Amino acid sequence: MTTTSGHPARSGPADPPPATDPADTGEPDATFAQDAADLCDQARDLAENGHLKRAAKLYRRAVAAGPRPPLLARALLGLAVVEDQRGDLPASREAARRAVATGDARYAPRAAYHLGLSLEQDGEHSEAESVWRRLLDLGAPDFAAVARYGLARAAEDRGDTAGAEEHWEAALALPPGPAPISRLHATTVVDAARDLAGRLLGRGLPGAAAAAVERGLAVADDPGLRLLRAASHLEHAIADVGAIVDPGEGVEEVPGPDAGTSASAVELLAGLLSLRGEPDAAERVWRLGLGDRDPGTADEVRRRLRRGFAVPPEEDEQEGAGPWWTPYLEEAAATATAPALAGELFAVITQMHALLAVPVVEGEARADALRAVMEQALRTPSGLVWGADVHADFRSRLREAMGGEDVLPEGWPDR
């Protein structure tokens, strides 16, 4: 889940005038004639074009010029962002701390936001929490949700889920009435809703998770939130169907569902658990259904487990009968290992095909060579779990064709 919201703040006006690096003018003395605002404009222009080292140099000159607090905060924030992009985290954080200390209404909150995210990402949760509190104290309306979201994460990280509730609630709160919501605020609400819903699902609280999701979707149609809403519905479905499959104690007096309802519940619950990534639990559900005390329910569960199995026309269609591979397919269906079984089968077919194809391609005519290849192909499945049943099935069919006489030697075809 996302643990941070938005992107690091950027400094400077929306549309700065184009500028060039004073170092490129051939007039180094002109740099000192520039005021701090011009230096910040030029530094931002250089940073946006990838000249981070030169941008940092100009931001430092703007700071050294000792401008008024608003310009000082702007220069320090710009320096913090550039140094972060250059990978110098200590320098970035020091500049951000100084920018926050100015208390400037415009740039100090941005610097606190940048600093808090940087500290969190580096595992400095204690200092990050202090920064989020400072951001809240700065009183910037657009950053209130950001600060609350940061404080909620901090409380969660130290295991104080109860203490985090107030901050989650404030982070998800929207402006009253028709008041507009800023882009940063909207992004924070969506991120916080996604984060909180994921945590609640992890605690086994799908209802509360769904409520958090709806608060985020009220701001923006986010795919991650929709997925979490589906996950919360999945948890409710598992609980409902699970109560049918295993009603628990104290309900013996209540008449149980009919065989069709019980079998449907087993099939659905096993599928939902497999979808949730719990194949072992899904297998236990199938086993529970197959072993039901009611024979009608057990038969109906088996029919659903075998749904889609191919049965050769010549096979016996009687109840419970099937080809030799039916138990292996049942096991694969119940344990969600059908892809593995299919891969195993395809590998055997490929190996047998390769063995038989070589003498055909080479035009082999010697009977003993052809017989050796065929025997090797027949032994291909022997090392697999189901290999012995392949050979036993052939032995049985041959015995029937020979009038009941077993003409194969013991241990055929391996010996």
Side-chain angles (χ1 to χ4, degrees):
M1 286 296 166
T2 303
T3 58
T4 60
S5 58
H7 301 280
R10 288 179 51 195
S11 62
D15 297 301
T20 58
D21 184 1
D24 297 334
T25 64
E27 302 177 11
D29 291 340
T31 300
F32 300 99
Q34 304 286 336
D35 61 18
D38 290 336
L39 287 172
C40 288
D41 288 342
Q42 294 183 49
R44 189 187 67 171
D45 186 66
L46 287 168
E48 289 178 347
N49 285 280
H51 304 294
L52 300 179
K53 183 176 180 179
R54 294 156 68 186
K57 181 179 179 181
L58 291 188
Y59 276 129
R60 284 194 291 268
R61 288 180 180 176
V63 171
R68 292 176 291 109
L71 282 176
L72 177 60
R74 177 186 172 187
L76 287 167
L77 173 60
L79 180 60
V81 173
V82 169
E83 293 290 20
D84 182 77
Q85 293 172 337
R86 295 181 64 201
D88 191 345
L89 291 182
S92 172
R93 291 172 185 172
E94 177 59 27
R97 291 186 186 97
R98 292 178 62 189
V100 173
T102 66
D104 179 69
R106 180 178 182 184
Y107 295 107
R110 298 185 188 183
Y113 181 25
H114 176 85
L115 178 59
L117 293 181
S118 176
L119 291 167
E120 268 192 1
Q121 291 167 0
D122 210 29
E124 301 290 340
H125 299 295
S126 179
E127 186 179 356
E129 183 173 6
S130 298
V131 172
W132 297 131
R133 293 192 183 281
R134 174 58 177 151
L135 176 57
L136 190 61
D137 292 341
L138 288 171
D142 288 348
F143 287 87
V146 171
R148 289 290 191 173
Y149 181 25
L151 290 171
R153 292 196 301 272
E156 293 277 0
D157 289 340
R158 64 171 181 269
D160 185 10
T161 55
E165 289 183 7
E166 176 188 351
H167 299 303
W168 283 122
E169 178 63 30
L172 294 176
L174 300 179
I181 181 172
S182 70
R183 184 175 181 180
L184 175 61
H185 191 174
T187 299
T188 302
V189 170
V190 171
D191 286 348
R194 193 188 308 118
D195 190 354
L196 177 58
R199 295 174 190 265
L200 291 170
L201 278 174
R203 295 175 196 149
L205 301 171
V213 166
E214 295 302 332
R215 297 182 69 172
L217 288 175
V219 174
D221 189 358
D222 179 72
L225 288 173
R226 285 188 172 273
L227 184 61
L228 285 165
R229 182 165 65 180
S232 66
H233 292 332
L234 173 65
E235 295 302 317
H236 281 301
I238 288 175
D240 286 338
V241 184
I244 301 174
V245 175
D246 187 9
E249 300 178 358
V251 294
E252 290 80 1
E253 300 80 5
V254 180
D258 58 66
T261 300
S262 294
S264 296
V266 167
E267 180 183 27
L268 183 55
L269 180 58
L272 292 174
L273 289 170
S274 181
L275 183 63
R276 193 167 69 174
E278 300 182 26
D280 292 342
E283 180 185 359
R284 287 194 295 271
V285 170
W286 280 119
R287 302 296 184 206
L288 184 65
L290 292 171
D292 196 279
R293 291 177 295 180
D294 176 22
T297 297
D299 289 343
E300 182 63 17
V301 170
R302 178 167 283 102
R303 186 188 70 79
R304 290 175 175 274
L305 181 60
R306 293 184 179 185
R307 181 158 35 202
F309 288 12
V311 179
E314 69 273 13
E315 293 293 338
D316 189 357
E317 295 291 345
Q318 295 181 4
E319 186 71 20
W324 66 266
W325 58 80
T326 295
Y328 297 103
L329 290 181
E330 281 189 1
E331 179 75 12
T335 59
T337 56
L341 177 60
E344 195 172 72
L345 289 168
F346 289 144
V348 168
I349 293 172
T350 300
Q351 187 176 355
M352 294 177 70
H353 182 275
L355 288 169
L356 296 171
V358 171
V360 173
V361 172
E362 294 179 347
E364 180 63 65
R366 293 172 300 165
D368 58 342
L370 292 173
R371 180 182 179 86
V373 169
M374 287 188 289
E375 289 180 350
Q376 187 178 1
L378 283 173
R379 289 193 293 269
T380 301
S382 296
L384 300 171
V385 173
W386 46 267
D389 282 342
V390 176
H391 303 321
D393 178 72
F394 175 74
R395 181 185 291 273
S396 175
R397 293 172 186 270
L398 184 60
R399 182 190 304 115
E400 183 178 348
M402 297 297 292
E405 181 183 0
D406 189 355
V407 297
L408 293 175
E410 186 70 23
W412 182 93
D414 297 312
R415 294 193 299 273

